Structure formats: C-alpha cells, structure tokens
Amino acid sequence: MSLDPDSSPPSTSRDWLFQSPPLTHSAHRHRHSSTRTFSANNPRRTRRTFVSDPKPSSFQTSPSLSISAPMRDSRSFGGLRRRIEFDRGRYGGKREEGREVEVSRDSGGNTEEYGGVLGEIVAYGKKFDRFGGGRLKVRWQLGCLIAILFTLSSSLLHKNFSLHNQVIDLQDHISKLNVRLRACNLSDPVDIINSIPHDSVYLPNKSLKISALIVLLTILSLPFLFFKYFLHVLKSRRWPENTAKEVSLNKQIAYRVDVFLSVHPYAKPMSLLVATLLLICLGGLALFGVTEDSLTDCLWLSWTYVADSGNHTNSEGLGPRLVSVSISFGGMLIFAMMLGLVSEAISEKFDSLRKGRSEVVEQNHTLILGWSDKLGSLLNQLSIANENLGGGIVVVMAERDKEEMELDIAKMEFDFRGTSVICRSGSPLIVADLKKVSVSKARAIIVLADDGNADQSDARALRTVLSLTGVKEGLRGHIVVELSDLNNEVLVKLVGGDLVETVVAHDVIGRLMIQCARQPGLAQIWADILGFENCEFYIKRWPQLDGMQFEDVLVSFPDAIPCGVKVASYGGKIILNPDESYVLQEGDEILVIAEDDDTYSPSTFPTVKEAPFIDITRPARKPQKILLCGWRRDIDDMIAVLDAFLAPGSELWMFNEVLENEREKKLIDGGLDITRLVNISIVNREGNAVIRRHLESLPLESFDSILILADESVEDSAMQADSRSLATLLLIRDIQAKRLPFREARVSQGHRGSSSPGSWIGDMQQASDKSVIISEILDPRTKNLLSMSKISDYVLSNELVSMALAMVAEDRQINDVLEELFAEEGNEMHIRQADLYIQEGEELSFYEVLLRARQRREIVIGYRLANAEKAVINPPAKNEQRRWSVKDVFVVIAEKE
C-alpha cells in the first residue's frame, strides 16, 4: 500500500498533530519538521514506557487532516525512546508523573508515541475492552443461541404448515375423485373414504406431534433463557467495582425459595403437587410426540410412569424408551420427596403430641399454670369437687416436658374419680401458649407460686396476670393467684382488677398457726372445712326463705348449717354471723356449711324447744407465754397478729439463728414497730433449734404454746425444712418429758433403765398435754409421722393452701369468707367448752344447742366428744335428742375476743 498523497484517497479518520518538546542535537538532525502526522490506518506494534520527565509538553489537533507527509526514514527514530510528560491541565486533568504512554513501532522499526488525548483514548479503550468484553461475549452467545432456536422453530413451523397444505390438497383431490366415482357409479364412495382413513389421519397427527415436540422444547428452554436474560440484565447494571460485592443470582433464587418454603406452611405440598402435574403434562406431550397414541392416552400413560416406575418396561423404540425412562426417573424423585414430606409431617405430629405443643379444645375446664409441690394436693381436691359431676377436665401447663409431668402425676397416690388431667408444655408468660390451652374458655385459672425466692415468684405471678389480661378473646372465668408475700398482693389486684382472687399462702399459714396455738385441735377442723372430702362452704339463693329472720333460717336446713348471708342490698357483701333478727330480703343468698352443693335444701320449720339461757361469765383471758422457733419471712405479721389476739402481759420468746442486733432492723424493714406492741413483750434468744444444748437453755416446760416454723434459710426445700422441723419437735418433746415431775418418781422406783418405745412415746404424749406444739409441715408425707405419734398438733402448709386454692377456684366468693376468718378483726373459729351451753347430763338436740349459742351471738357448726379424736362438722340428725358431757367441746363461729 502506497502512502503517496496523490495515489491514496484522503483518509476519513482524524489525524493528530503533536508538537514535540526540544530534543537533543542528534535528534534535531534527523527531524525534517516540527510536526508529525499519524495515520489511524498504519499498523503498529505498541509498547509502554513510563513518563517521568517533569518538562511540560503540548500538542495540537487538526480538525480534518489527511496523510500528506512522506514516511519518515526508519533510521531517524530507530531505537529511540522519548520521555514525555503530557500536560492535561488545559483538559481539566492534572499533571501526573510515571504515567504510561503508548509507543508504537511501524513496519520499518520507527517508534511513535501516543500522548495527550490519544493516550487517554487508547487507555480508555483498553479499559473498555476489559469491562465490556465479557458482556459482548455473553451477548454474542445469547444472540447465537436465540438465532439457532428461532431458525429451528421457523423451519419446523414452515414444515408443519407445508404438510398441512399438502393434507388440504390431498383432501380436495379425494373429494374430486369421489365426485367422479359417484358420477360413474363405479363403487360406493363410502368404501373409498373408509379405505383411506390412515393416510388422512396420519398426516395431521404427524403435524400435531411435531408441534407438541416444539412446544415441549420451548417450555423446557424458557427457564434457561429467562435465567440467562436476567443474569445478563443484572450484570449490565453493575459497575465493575461493585461486582465482587453483589450476590450471585443463584444464591438469590435459592434464598427466595428457602424463604417461601419456610414462611408458608403449605408451600412444600403445593410445590410437590405442581411439580407432579408439570411432570405429567410435559411427559404426556413428549410421549405424544414420539408415539402414535392420542394426547389423552399419553397423559394417562405419563401418570402411570410417574406413579409406578416399572411401567416403562413395555415401551418399544428409542424415543418412547428415552421419554418413559425420564418420566419414571422424575416420578421416583417426586415420590421420594412426597415420602419425606409425609414422614416429616407424621414425625412433627408425634413430636408435638409428645412434647405437649398441640392445642387443647376444651370448655369449662380448670386451668393450672405452673408447677410446685402443691400440685398433687390441688389435683386431689379438684377431683373430689368434680366427683358429683362424673369428673371434670383439668389442664396443667408448665415449663416442663409433657412426659415428665404425666409421669409425676401418675405417681400420685390418690383416685382421680373420673377427672382427666391434660398436660401441656409452655410458658404462661406467652399469649400464644395461653391460647393453646383454651385460656379464654376456662371456668377458673389457678396460678401457682414457684418454689424458691418469694419476690421472684410473685414477680412471675404478676407477669402471668398481665399476660392473662392481654388475651384478646377475654376470659370467661376468674383468676386465682397464689402469692408468697402479703406486700405484693396490692400490685396483683391492681393489675388483674375484678378478675383476680389472691391467696397469700405464707400469710394464711402464719395466721392459722397462731389460731391453732391458742386453740389446740383447730388445725384438724380447718382441714375438714377447707377440703372437699367432708363439709365446705357453699352459697346459694333460696327464694322461699325471703322474709324470714336469720334465727329461723338456722334451723331450716337439716343437712346444712347456715353461717352467713350474702346481702344483695350491700352489693353482694357476705356477712358472717349476722344478727338473729336480720330479715332476708329479695336477692339475698345463704352461706352454709354442707357436704356438697346438691346435698342440702330448706325444709319445713322443725319444732325446737326453746332452751333457757345459761348465764355463765366467761373467765378473763390470761397472759400466755409463747415460743417461736425459727425465722419466717413474714414473722413481723405474725407478731402483729399475736399482739392482737393475746391477753395483756403475754411474752413472746424468739429463738433462732438471727443475731439479736439484726432482728430489730429486719422487723422494722418489714413494717413492725416493736415500741407500739400493746399486749406482748419480746424476749430474744440466739441458738440453733436442732442442737440439744441450745434448746436445753430454754424453759421449755413453762411455755403454753410452741410454734416450730419452717426456717427461711431452708424453706426452698420442703424435705429439708420438714426434717429440721421434725428434729426440733422430737428434741423439745424429749427435753419436756425428762423435766416432768413424775419422771423423778419413776426413776426412784427403779425404772431408770427403761427405754422401751412405748414408754418413750408415752412420756412425749404426756408432755404434749402440758403444752401445745404447732409444727409447720410442707411435705404431706411428713404428716403421717406426726399423726401416728400423736406428739404434736400440726399444720400441713402445702395441703391447706391447696385446699384454699381449690375452694376459691370452684367459687370465688369463698375467698371473702376465708379472708375474714383469718383476719385480726371480725369473726373466727373457736373451740368452746360445753359448759357454756349445757349442764352435766342434760339431753338436748343439736338445734337446741344451736339456739342457745345464738344467745351469745355465736353459731355452732360442730362438736367433738370427750372420748373422740376428731370433731364432727355439720352433724346429721340435728333434731335428735342426746346426752352431752361438760367435757365435750363445740366448734363455733364467733367474733374475735
């Protein structure tokens, strides 16, 4: 190719004129002009040099120049390296050192450098090649693939249309031949038509089968094409520097599928169903394209291949066999996934049943939230209460494993009497778990206190009440909350409002211990009244009693004992032991003590002889000396109650391991001011109640009552607390027995060596007659030890609290009755001597004794005979005459003295 301007056409490319900086002398001798013309068409070999010369350089551009200068001698610039610094200031750039410039070499060995704008263009072009080369390659591949598919589809469609046109021509030709045959009467046209069905049907079927194969290929290729297209679009929108930070499309699709299958519960079976239908349809199309069967038959055959992989063995031919094997392979995968889903669903269901996560569909059931040592006694009382109904439903939900709960309940040694206990694992603080046990349809909800720290237990009970009040469906029944500290009762009632009834276990037991210490035998009476085994409180309205005085109502129930009235005019307030002249109004209800709610009713008014009033002056209360062994959390409340009950001049001895200088501070922190005590004075003694020499330092024989408390340091463990209480009881009784006056007489008579169990127990029983010991027992199993020895009156804490919880759960109104009977003011239970109501050898009916007690504003609810061990509450045959003894005692409800 000649570069002569006369022989070559003018170049359309833009030529660049570079003004080179001054060079060395030798360089000026080889240069003919200060400007050089570079042709874009001149092939060159390029190499890079780094520019480090700080001298400025400039360049000029010519808007349109053709190649007009002759070629330079190759020897002029042979092997020359030029170090040039390009000034980019006038183009908005800045001077850079060490920048790459392009040095090109022509065919003759001349080297030429690209600088300035040309250098920028060349550099950008290479960068563009690096950035866009991959995209162009993908675009060409995608374009080629689309072109091939389009060409193949077009050829197949063209062939299909040509075959269809041939079929139409043949049909027209056949119709013409039929016309000719009819005209010539050569044969029956029907026979001719019937003789060529295979040709007329085969051709359109062949075209349809080819169309089915085209549709099948198109459907199978569409996902791949869409994936490649989206991948191309995503890559074209990314900047090169952010390519490494972007997540691949495969990971995004996998993430979306994972989210879809995890969020939607029916996503897996629906996906499996869609995959099955898609496999059947695509397999049917494929079979339709490679066999001569109809589309319906092919779809059915595809289903048989999916359902049973062995059906494809009857296929003949290469195409049908390939298609049938593919369908069978897909069917095996689908049925494997289906088997996995079914086994997973069954496993989840059994696991849900085993762990107690399934929903309880019940109504009018009793719901117990929490788990403690009181649960066994509570379930026993609820079973007894539901016995007359043929049994009930009790649901227990706690943060324990369902199998463990059911195993522990199965070990409980009592008869459930038809009551079913359903256990569920869950947290009462979670509303979803509460809905799982149908909390909104329960007739009563019992919240048990946790075994452990009192403040933490009450805080959890408070949060549980908050969760219960947050149920959107509302609550049908009431909430019974067991609290450990009386100071937290206000908060729970503030949160729960009218729905909540509280039972402060520690406070109830403390007050009951004080009452039993003052009146031995009262513990057994409370156990009979609070439990459902004997008689308990019931409230019911009897319209036929309206207008009667309460004195007449007392003798109107042969199977119950009225002891109060729920006055409708006072907003439903329950009044225990009202005046005998009180007249029942419309809407008033009667509070009675009866065996069950369906075992009593008013009858005709009996004939009762009016008994004369026996005016006996009750002796004044005497000062008492009481010993408290141990330190209770609410001992300040117990001291306040003792100060209200005891006569002036009484002494309270406190024997525990708490230092004397810390006791007063703890009592003050509990809200008790010792200086304001009126009837009692406190005597402090330090010591361990299970160490004999410490107990021997006390005048144990001089105390009227001794209260052995479950010490605060061991109250978290029922067995440990009971062991400590039992050891203290035995030590005290042994010390008292050895200090008895008759002991010295027995020793002088030669009985010193006697150590038989009978004499040891006898000495302790005789010591128990001199003073009353009340032991706080937490575990019911310890009760049997004390009952058989008969060396102590006892208070079974957990069992009595469970009885109170069950009673309040059955009827929330009873909580008001219990609160008054345990309070410092109002009415309480007393054990009275019989000489207050009868004379020696006098024969009276129970009704007559009841009326004599009304003269003192008291209600007799039972009696204990002199030779009997247990009291009889709500005795039968109340109108029957019997002979009484002055050594008998009567159980009455009377105002506190």
Side-chain angles (χ1 to χ4, degrees):
M1 176 180 177
S2 178
L3 298 177
D4 191 348
D6 297 332
S7 61
S8 62
S11 176
T12 59
S13 62
R14 178 171 296 178
D15 296 311
W16 303 88
L17 295 178
F18 296 87
Q19 183 176 359
S20 62
L23 302 175
T24 60
H25 182 68
S26 61
H28 280 286
R29 286 184 306 189
H30 297 295
R31 180 175 283 184
H32 299 281
S33 177
S34 60
T35 61
R36 294 193 59 195
T37 305
F38 290 83
S39 174
N41 299 321
N42 187 15
R44 290 167 182 154
R45 291 175 301 170
T46 62
R47 67 175 179 175
R48 297 179 182 177
T49 61
F50 289 90
V51 178
S52 61
D53 191 358
K55 295 180 181 181
S57 63
S58 60
F59 60 90
Q60 298 176 357
T61 60
S62 177
S64 61
L65 292 179
S66 62
I67 301 175
S68 59
M71 294 294 293
R72 299 300 190 265
D73 187 4
S74 62
R75 295 171 300 175
S76 300
F77 299 93
L80 178 65
R81 294 188 180 184
R82 307 175 63 184
R83 306 175 66 84
I84 305 173
E85 178 186 50
F86 297 95
D87 186 5
R88 297 174 59 194
R90 72 178 64 179
Y91 295 100
K94 63 180 181 179
R95 182 176 301 172
E96 300 180 0
E97 295 183 2
R99 180 179 175 183
E100 284 187 88
V101 299
E102 299 292 334
V103 179
S104 64
R105 185 182 299 272
D106 60 10
S107 62
N110 296 332
T111 60
E112 296 181 353
E113 302 178 4
Y114 292 88
V117 176
L118 185 58
E120 296 287 341
I121 293 174
V122 173
Y124 182 78
K126 292 192 174 185
K127 182 177 180 182
F128 179 79
D129 289 340
R130 291 193 301 270
F131 174 70
R135 301 181 189 171
L136 292 176
K137 186 177 180 179
V138 173
R139 290 180 181 176
W140 279 109
Q141 293 177 354
L142 184 63
C144 293
L145 180 62
I146 294 175
I148 292 172
L149 292 175
F150 180 76
T151 303
L152 180 62
S153 302
S154 301
S155 63
L156 291 175
L157 289 175
H158 176 73
K159 188 175 181 180
N160 184 18
F161 287 135
S162 64
L163 291 174
H164 185 66
N165 293 331
Q166 292 178 8
V167 169
I168 294 175
D169 295 340
L170 290 174
Q171 289 178 349
D172 292 339
H173 184 66
I174 290 172
S175 62
K176 292 178 180 179
L177 291 176
N178 287 330
V179 172
R180 292 180 180 181
L181 289 174
R182 289 172 183 169
C184 296
N185 292 324
L186 295 178
S187 62
D188 191 1
V190 177
D191 296 335
I192 298 177
I193 295 175
N194 293 332
S195 64
I196 56 173
H198 297 288
D199 295 336
S200 61
V201 175
Y202 176 74
L203 290 176
N205 280 346
K206 187 175 181 181
S207 62
L208 289 176
K209 293 180 183 298
I210 295 175
S211 302
L213 292 176
I214 296 174
V215 172
L216 178 64
L217 292 175
T218 305
I219 294 175
L220 293 177
S221 60
L222 280 178
F224 176 75
L225 295 177
F226 280 124
F227 178 79
K228 289 294 184 181
Y229 174 74
F230 286 128
L231 185 63
H232 168 68
V233 171
L234 290 176
K235 287 185 177 180
S236 63
R237 293 183 180 179
R238 298 174 185 164
W239 294 103
E241 57 272 13
N242 295 332
T243 303
K245 300 180 181 178
E246 294 289 342
V247 181
S248 63
L249 183 60
N250 294 334
K251 291 184 178 180
Q252 293 184 14
I253 294 176
Y255 171 72
R256 297 298 178 186
V257 172
D258 185 26
V259 171
F260 175 75
L261 295 178
S262 301
V263 172
H264 302 282
Y266 299 103
K268 293 180 180 179
M270 291 302 298
S271 300
L272 187 61
L273 178 62
V274 171
T276 305
L277 295 177
L278 188 62
L279 178 61
I280 293 174
C281 294
L282 295 179
L285 285 177
L287 289 175
F288 181 69
V290 297
T291 61
E292 297 181 358
D293 297 333
S294 63
L295 181 60
T296 305
D297 295 337
C298 290
L299 290 174
W300 175 253
L301 193 61
S302 176
W303 158 246
T304 60
Y305 291 162
V306 171
D308 187 1
S309 59
N311 289 334
H312 71 280
T313 56
N314 297 327
S315 301
E316 296 180 357
L318 179 62
R321 287 180 178 178
L322 289 176
V323 173
S324 61
V325 168
S326 301
I327 298 173
S328 299
F329 183 73
M332 287 188 291
L333 292 179
I334 286 179
F335 272 90
M337 290 187 291
M338 182 182 299
L339 182 61
L341 288 178
V342 172
S343 62
E344 181 183 359
I346 295 175
S347 299
E348 289 181 355
K349 185 62 177 178
F350 278 103
D351 187 63
S352 175
L353 294 175
R354 181 177 61 85
K355 293 186 177 181
R357 292 196 295 260
S358 59
E359 185 177 358
V360 175
V361 184
E362 295 289 347
Q363 293 183 356
N364 295 324
H365 58 285
T366 301
L367 175 61
I368 301 176
L369 302 178
W371 188 279
S372 69
D373 295 336
K374 306 178 185 66
L375 182 64
S377 302
L378 180 59
L379 291 177
N380 185 23
Q381 295 300 320
L382 292 175
S383 301
I384 297 172
N386 295 325
E387 183 179 9
N388 62 330
L389 301 176
I393 302 296
V394 179
V395 180
V396 181
M397 187 179 75
E399 296 183 40
R400 297 185 62 194
D401 189 73
K402 175 176 177 288
E403 293 180 342
E404 294 181 1
M405 291 190 288
E406 291 177 345
L407 184 61
D408 291 342
I409 292 176
K411 294 179 181 178
M412 297 177 180
E413 299 177 353
F414 60 84
D415 185 10
F416 285 94
R417 297 175 172 85
T419 296
S420 301
V421 181
I422 302 173
C423 297
R424 287 293 180 268
S425 179
S427 174
L429 305 180
I430 302 176
V431 178
D433 290 347
L434 293 175
K435 292 182 179 179
K436 184 174 61 179
V437 291
S438 301
V439 64
S440 59
K441 299 178 182 179
R443 65 185 180 92
I445 305 168
I446 303 175
V447 181
L448 293 179
D450 295 338
D451 297 329
N453 185 269
D455 293 333
Q456 294 179 0
S457 175
D458 290 350
R460 185 175 181 82
L462 180 63
R463 293 179 59 189
T464 303
V465 173
L466 282 173
S467 302
L468 291 172
T469 55
V471 177
K472 294 182 179 180
E473 293 81 0
L475 300 178
R476 178 186 301 178
H478 59 284
I479 308 171
V480 183
V481 183
E482 179 195 358
L483 296 177
S484 300
D485 198 332
L486 184 62
N487 299 327
N488 300 322
E489 184 180 19
V490 179
L491 293 176
V492 175
K493 287 187 175 181
L494 181 64
V495 171
D498 296 335
L499 289 174
V500 174
E501 296 291 339
T502 58
V503 176
V504 186
H506 224 57
D507 181 67
V508 168
I509 297 303
R511 296 173 184 269
L512 185 57
M513 289 183 69
I514 293 173
Q515 291 186 10
C516 295
R518 294 170 49 239
Q519 304 180 76
L522 198 59
Q524 178 261 322
I525 297 172
W526 268 113
D528 291 342
I529 292 179
L530 289 178
F532 287 97
E533 291 180 333
N534 298 306
C535 295
E536 53 274 354
F537 291 104
Y538 293 100
I539 300 177
K540 189 181 293 186
R541 166 158 173 76
W542 302 98
Q544 60 269 35
L545 300 180
D546 291 346
M548 293 179 58
Q549 292 185 353
F550 184 75
E551 185 177 12
D552 297 332
V553 174
L554 283 174
V555 294
S556 298
F557 291 90
D559 299 316
I561 298 179
C563 51
V565 178
K566 181 180 178 182
V567 183
S569 58
Y570 288 175
K573 181 180 179 180
I574 298 176
I575 300 178
L576 282 173
N577 189 19
D579 294 337
E580 61 274 5
S581 59
Y582 177 78
V583 178
L584 295 181
Q585 306 295 325
E586 183 179 0
D588 289 351
E589 300 179 27
I590 308 298
L591 172 68
V592 302
I593 295 178
E595 185 177 357
D596 211 335
D597 58 350
D598 57 354
T599 59
Y600 73 98
S601 62
S603 63
T604 58
F605 189 76
T607 302
V608 180
K609 181 177 63 175
E610 184 175 356
F613 177 71
I614 302 177
D615 188 8
I616 299 178
T617 304
R618 190 176 304 163
R621 292 184 300 167
K622 296 180 180 180
Q624 295 184 8
K625 193 174 181 179
I626 296 179
L627 173 64
L628 292 181
C629 290
W631 185 275
R632 249 171 150 256
R633 186 174 57 253
D634 61 342
I635 197 169
D636 52 330
D637 296 328
M638 295 183 66
I639 295 175
V641 174
L642 283 170
D643 185 64
F645 284 164
L646 297 180
S650 300
E651 290 184 1
L652 177 62
W653 287 55
M654 299 178 61
F655 178 73
N656 49 68
E657 299 181 45
V658 180
L659 300 179
E660 293 185 16
N661 55 1
E662 295 181 2
R663 295 180 186 179
E664 185 175 357
K665 181 182 178 181
K666 287 189 174 183
L667 293 176
I668 293 175
D669 293 342
L672 178 65
D673 188 358
I674 301 178
T675 59
R676 295 187 178 181
L677 296 177
V678 177
N679 297 326
I680 62 175
S681 58
I682 297 179
V683 180
N684 291 305
R685 289 291 186 271
E686 291 183 18
N688 193 336
V690 295
I691 299 179
R692 186 183 185 89
R693 59 185 178 84
H694 291 176
L695 290 172
E696 288 179 344
S697 63
L698 300 174
L700 298 177
E701 68 280 0
S702 63
F703 292 109
D704 298 300
S705 300
I706 299 175
L707 277 65
I708 302 176
L709 309 177
D711 199 89
E712 184 180 15
S713 60
V714 293
E715 67 176 355
D716 294 343
S717 175
M719 292 299 295
Q720 188 176 358
D722 289 352
S723 299
R724 185 185 179 94
S725 300
L726 186 58
T728 303
L729 171 63
L730 294 176
L731 287 174
I732 291 175
R733 283 307 189 197
D734 185 57
I735 294 173
Q736 287 180 339
K738 291 182 178 179
R739 293 179 181 179
L740 287 175
F742 80 97
R743 185 79 174 182
E744 299 178 357
R746 287 184 53 187
V747 172
S748 62
Q749 295 174 4
H751 298 282
R752 181 180 297 272
S754 177
S755 58
S756 64
S759 61
W760 178 71
I761 292 292
D763 292 345
M764 287 194 175
Q765 291 176 354
Q766 187 172 357
S768 65
D769 295 336
K770 303 296 181 181
S771 63
V772 177
I773 297 183
I774 305 297
S775 302
E776 183 179 3
I777 302 302
L778 303 180
D779 195 332
R781 289 172 290 186
T782 314
K783 168 187 175 183
N784 299 329
L785 298 176
L786 298 177
S787 300
M788 290 186 296
S789 62
K790 300 178 183 179
I791 59 176
S792 172
D793 206 344
Y794 64 91
V795 174
L796 189 60
S797 299
N798 288 349
E799 190 170 359
L800 289 177
V801 173
S802 301
M803 292 176 180
L805 290 172
M807 185 170 290
V808 177
E810 291 295 318
D811 190 354
R812 61 180 306 181
Q813 304 174 102
I814 305 302
N815 197 28
D816 296 334
V817 179
L818 299 180
E819 288 180 352
E820 182 174 350
L821 293 175
F822 288 136
E824 295 91 343
E825 299 179 354
N827 293 272
E828 68 172 348
M829 288 190 185
H830 293 272
I831 296 179
R832 303 291 195 200
Q833 294 295 326
D835 56 3
L836 292 176
Y837 315 107
I838 62 174
Q839 297 178 357
E840 182 67 32
E842 189 176 7
E843 291 188 2
L844 295 173
S845 66
F846 184 81
Y847 276 145
E848 293 174 346
V849 176
L850 188 63
L851 293 180
R852 287 189 179 183
R854 283 306 297 169
Q855 297 175 357
R856 299 179 180 272
R857 185 68 184 281
E858 298 173 350
I859 299 177
V860 180
I861 62 173
Y863 59 85
R864 188 182 67 193
L865 301 178
N867 56 354
E869 297 180 358
K870 295 184 62 176
V872 179
I873 305 299
N874 182 29
K878 297 180 177 60
N879 204 24
E880 181 181 347
Q881 298 287 324
R882 63 175 305 162
R883 188 177 299 274
W884 302 92
S885 172
V886 292
K887 294 182 179 180
D888 299 337
V889 294
F890 290 96
V891 183
V892 302
I893 295 178
E895 292 185 357
K896 292 181 175 61
E897 299 174 355

